Amino acid sequence: MPQLYPVHKIRDKEILEKFGTNLKVIRKEKGLTQEELAFRSGLALSQIARIETGRLNSSICTLITIAKALQIEPGELLKAM
Amino acid sequence: MPQLYPVHKIRDKEILEKFGTNLKVIRKEKGLTQEELAFRSGLALSQIARIETGRLNSSICTLITIAKALQIEPGELLKAM
């Protein structure tokens, strides 16, 4: 019996993976390691790592905190989503 | 003795109130009621109302769901934040 996966769960997974990829690309463009971004943002390194691998559904406040740490517009983290 | 309020809590409050205002402005520009947005997005009416008054720290998946329901780029909801 195949495992049934609710549609919105699949959609959420795709959203979070895309957000994670956007974050990783921009972080690298800025020449920052995950540790440096964690330090700048005040977030835990493990949180940054889980966000980048699409395993964390962060909040809007966390998204704004990350955008400020990267000195970018928050919308840049949501490109092509 | 004045109530001490952690700085990040004040900052979060401001972020959520600005997000709520952005959502309300865009929803009205689109000529939608809260009920219509709730129906389109699949979110509860109470959730839409609490988001618009800055009392809910929504997730990124909820933000994307709302943007799709409004047929806008997600970044538009994060203007001037």
Side-chain angles (χ1 to χ4, degrees):
Chain A
M1 175 76 177
Q3 192 218 350
L4 296 177
Y5 209 57
V7 172
H8 71 279
K9 289 277 182 203
I10 298 168
R11 186 205 62 217
D12 286 1
K13 192 168 178 290
E14 284 165 10
I15 287 171
L16 297 179
E17 283 170 358
K18 180 60 181 155
F19 179 71
T21 304
N22 285 349
L23 174 55
K24 186 182 259 184
V25 166
I26 294 172
R27 175 176 60 77
K28 289 186 172 179
E29 281 170 2
K30 295 277 179 175
L32 295 175
T33 62
Q34 286 187 340
E35 289 77 6
E36 285 164 333
L37 178 55
F39 179 75
R40 279 194 186 192
S41 61
L43 300 175
L45 175 57
S46 59
Q47 190 174 355
I48 301 286
R50 288 173 63 217
I51 291 171
E52 287 196 357
T53 48
R55 288 176 295 142
L56 204 57
N57 188 10
S58 302
S59 72
I60 285 167
C61 287
T62 298
L63 184 151
I64 300 298
T65 299
I66 292 172
K68 287 194 189 306
L70 291 169
Q71 297 173 317
I72 59 172
E73 282 300 314
E76 290 183 53
L77 288 165
L78 300 173
K79 270 196 190 135
M81 289 178 67
Chain B
M1 175 73 177
Q3 192 219 348
L4 297 177
Y5 209 58
V7 172
H8 70 277
K9 288 279 179 201
I10 298 168
R11 186 206 61 215
D12 286 1
K13 191 169 177 292
E14 285 165 11
I15 287 172
L16 298 180
E17 282 170 358
K18 180 61 182 154
F19 179 72
T21 305
N22 285 350
L23 173 55
K24 185 182 261 183
V25 166
I26 294 172
R27 174 175 60 77
K28 288 186 171 179
E29 281 169 3
K30 296 277 181 174
L32 295 176
T33 62
Q34 287 186 339
E35 290 77 4
E36 286 163 333
L37 178 56
F39 179 75
R40 278 196 188 190
S41 61
L43 300 175
L45 174 58
S46 59
Q47 191 173 355
I48 301 286
R50 288 172 64 218
I51 291 171
E52 287 196 356
T53 48
R55 288 177 295 141
L56 205 57
N57 188 9
S58 302
S59 73
I60 285 167
C61 287
T62 298
L63 185 150
I64 300 297
T65 300
I66 291 172
K68 287 194 188 308
L70 291 169
Q71 298 173 318
I72 58 171
E73 281 302 313
E76 290 184 53
L77 287 166
L78 300 173
K79 269 196 190 134
M81 288 179 64

